Amino acid sequence: MPAASLIVTWLGAATAQEAAAPPAARAAVPYPSTLRMVERLDECKAAAVPDQNNFMSRERVAIFTRRTKAAAGTPRETEMRLRLALELIQAGDTLAGIEELDRVEAGLASIPAAMRARMQAQVERWRGVGWLRLGEQENCLDRHCCSSCIAPIEPGGQHAARRGSENAVKAFERILAASPKDDEARWLLNLAHMTLGTWPDGVPEAFRIGRERFASEWDLPRWRDVAGECGVAHSTISGGACIEDFDRDGDLDLLCSSMGWDDPLRYYVSNGDGTFTDRAKEAGIDVLCGGLNCLQADYDNDGFADVLVLRGGWLQDMGRIPNSLLRNRGDGTFEDVTEAAGVLSWHPTQAAVFADFDGDGWLDLAIGNESSRGGRNHPCELYWNQRDGTFREIAAEVGAAHCAMVKGIAAADVDDDGRPELFLSCRAGTDVLLHNRPDPTPGSPGFRFVDITRSAGTIGPEMSFPCWFFDYDNDGREDLFVATNAGFNGGTYDTVGTFMCGRAVEGLEMPKLYRNLGGLRFEDVSAAVRVDRAALTMGSNFGDLDADGWLDLYLGNGGPDLGALLPNVALRNDRGVVFQEVTTTAGLGHLQKGHGVAFGDLDHDGDEDLYEELGGFVSSDFYPAVLFENPTTGRRFITLRLEGVKANRAAIGARVRVDLATPSGPRSLHRTVGTGGSFGSSSLQQEIGLGDATAITAIHVRWPGSGTVQELPGPAMDAVYRLVEGGALEPVAVKPFRLGGGG
């Protein structure tokens, strides 16, 4: 299908696969509460104002077409044409947008000299970005393969249809002829040459970025994108992803969201042979659309993982769209119980976390909402589980009703007192660490939060985004990672080019890694362990890339601008001492916008595979999701499936220590049950790589809430075990298979 047809098909939702369910299909949904949520979402869509929403480019094209006609013959005509050209490109009508840019250029002579140079620069920049985007449409989408858009681009991912990148090269060369220090144009020029197979030698020497810029610091085997073979390579704009065994058949499934008004939820059930089938319709959730993020937890302790879909992120007051709490009924269906469970609210968000804040064995829910300057306040919410499948909102009562642009939220017991703390990543403001303290006041929930940010030493970064707690150095204490995305600030992506050109970016905030020192104190070790690398991080998570027992990082990068293209980043944890760049050797440097990131052992071979939702914010910036198969071999492993009794049934918050014998002596690995980062949800089962271990000598588990501590004799390695609180390890029979099918 030609690129223009593909774009129109996707944007117009012309196929049954991509369209939101029509009314006839909605009638087949078994739960009235789900249909009521569909009605609410339809009402929100109808009330949206494209003129105030920069992400609704399809609708904005019509607005600026009218304004351009109305301004004909006036000094404003050229300005309106430029706005129209940008909206056309962002809406996917790329050639029409480029043609409109030509008309703008022809009219620049009538523009006052003070504005002419600026508008000429905008025309040339968007002409280059537009042609580069057309090259993506005609190749990476129309001729998509597993090597598409992975930097540095190898022959398999290079463009057969060459007009897009060839014209992009000309545009960026013109920019650099006028402005030789334009780092963004320099980077995009090199990228265009990569797609043509003429990089690096075809790039003028003065602007060439060499292969050394992509050198890895450690060699990992190359991962391969098998999403197409597995049946999970749907195309969306930005969204979330969960990996979990939702149907409890022993195989991990996928549930995904996308923020578009008409983007339905997808529910990929594992067929047990390396392939998946989308059962969203059968599950009754294909009628539910939207959701920048999603995460799973068993909030009602019935043994089946439920899902929370988060909506409205980045949309400010227009993001007053309800979230969806989907109860997994255990029969293959999900029911939207948002209102019945007491969690219906109207705030923009993409960040939430489940944790047992009061230690009663039932998961509570904290939601980080987005308050923006000049808009309404949207306080954070904390829903206290009433132990009957319902919640009561108590954020103000317990000191958690913080108002900020909250872009990430995480919970962990940082002081080992059995009660999880709460961390809020607040963009363009001060991040907040809240200490969970007992509150004996009669009638209170029994706990209250106190802000200890300054005394704990966890201030900054200011432009923070995703975050999480994890034990990066295996010392038994929960450390804190906070990523940054300064590219959203100020609307310029020159920092992308400067970073990719290999130069320091003055004033750019770097990610932070805070090491837990105990006693509610943290130390900033970002520079010492070398996570202070420039990135525009969005979706991201942690997992064990090489099954050596040390938790690694995968950072999905990007921004709303179509030109914000830089590789996603993989950092290997070298024994808790330093993080090493391994992106290129592992083949994980995808250039498309990285959103929901989830790790999970989808093929039962003992290592963690990686699923990522790709795609940006504007209408045309969609891309197929990727599923990278982990090629690690020769490492030992153990997988633990924990089930609470007095603790919450999903065991979220359980602390696990695995003691090992190795050729170099004993060592211990530490894990905490949870979904990982704040933008992407990994499997709750603990998939623990053991590296060169020769034996497991013991396993220790501290169950959350109940405080029960179990010490278990070391089981055999390379196996899966179920552990019910207070019981013994039970071997689980699993059959490894190859992702993509083949047994």
Side-chain angles (χ1 to χ4, degrees), residues 140-288:
C140 307
L141 294 177
D142 285 6
R143 299 172 172 87
H144 181 71
C145 70
C146 62
S147 299
S148 296
C149 289
I150 295 178
I153 298 173
E154 301 295 338
Q158 291 166 4
H159 291 186
R162 300 173 64 84
R163 65 170 176 166
S165 288
E166 286 176 346
N167 281 294
V169 164
K170 295 174 184 177
F172 294 128
E173 285 180 340
R174 287 193 294 268
I175 293 173
L176 289 164
S179 304
K181 295 184 179 180
D182 189 323
D183 282 337
E184 183 196 41
R186 181 185 175 194
W187 160 238
L188 294 178
L189 173 66
N190 279 263
L191 181 56
H193 273 285
M194 285 184 200
T195 69
L196 296 169
T198 53
W199 176 82
D201 295 340
V203 182
E205 186 174 358
F207 306 122
R208 186 180 303 156
I209 299 173
R211 291 188 180 276
E212 66 277 2
R213 179 65 186 85
F214 298 90
S216 291
E217 298 166 350
W218 183 270
D219 287 336
L220 286 185
R222 192 170 182 87
W223 296 46
R224 190 170 70 91
D225 175 17
V226 296
E229 300 168 39
C230 294
V232 297
H234 60 271
S235 293
T236 64
I237 57 175
S238 53
C242 304
I243 293 180
E244 192 54 70
D245 182 8
F246 289 106
D247 56 3
R248 296 199 64 173
D249 66 351
D251 301 317
L252 293 177
D253 312 304
L254 294 164
L255 195 147
C256 315
S257 67
S258 175
M259 71 174 289
W261 287 113
D262 298 319
D263 296 350
L265 296 178
R266 288 175 170 83
Y267 174 39
Y268 294 110
V269 175
S270 174
N271 297 320
D273 61 0
T275 66
F276 296 78
T277 299
D278 190 351
R279 300 287 186 193
K281 181 177 181 180
E282 292 85 345
I285 59 174
D286 64 320
V287 294
L288 293 168

Side-chain angles (χ1 to χ4, degrees), residues 440-463:
T441 305
S444 77
F447 66 101
R448 185 172 181 81
F449 290 107
V450 176
D451 187 343
I452 60 167
T453 309
R454 294 189 179 279
S455 63
T458 56
I459 298 175
E462 183 180 356
M463 287 295 135

Side-chain angles (χ1 to χ4, degrees), residues 414 456-458 469-481 512-526 528-529 576-577:
V414 302
T458 56
F469 289 101
F470 72 143
D471 187 357
Y472 85 93
D473 54 359
N474 276 319
D475 68 351
R477 291 192 288 261
E478 299 278 11
D479 309 303
L480 173 63
F481 179 78
K512 293 287 189 182
L513 178 57
Y514 294 104
R515 182 171 180 258
N516 190 337
L517 302 176
L520 295 174
R521 291 286 302 169
F522 289 81
E523 174 189 13
D524 182 354
V525 296
S526 312
V529 301
V577 176

Side-chain angles (χ1 to χ4, degrees), residues 49 65 116 129 177 191 215 269 347 376 391 442 447 452 460 465 479 503 509 614 637 640 644 680 708 725 739:
V49 182
T65 297
R116 195 177 304 148
V129 170
L191 181 56
V269 175
H347 301 288
R376 302 183 188 183
F391 295 82
F447 66 101
I452 60 167
F465 200 158
D479 309 303
R503 293 202 287 270
E509 285 189 304
L614 298 174
F637 73 93
L640 299 174
T708 303
E725 182 179 2
L739 285 177

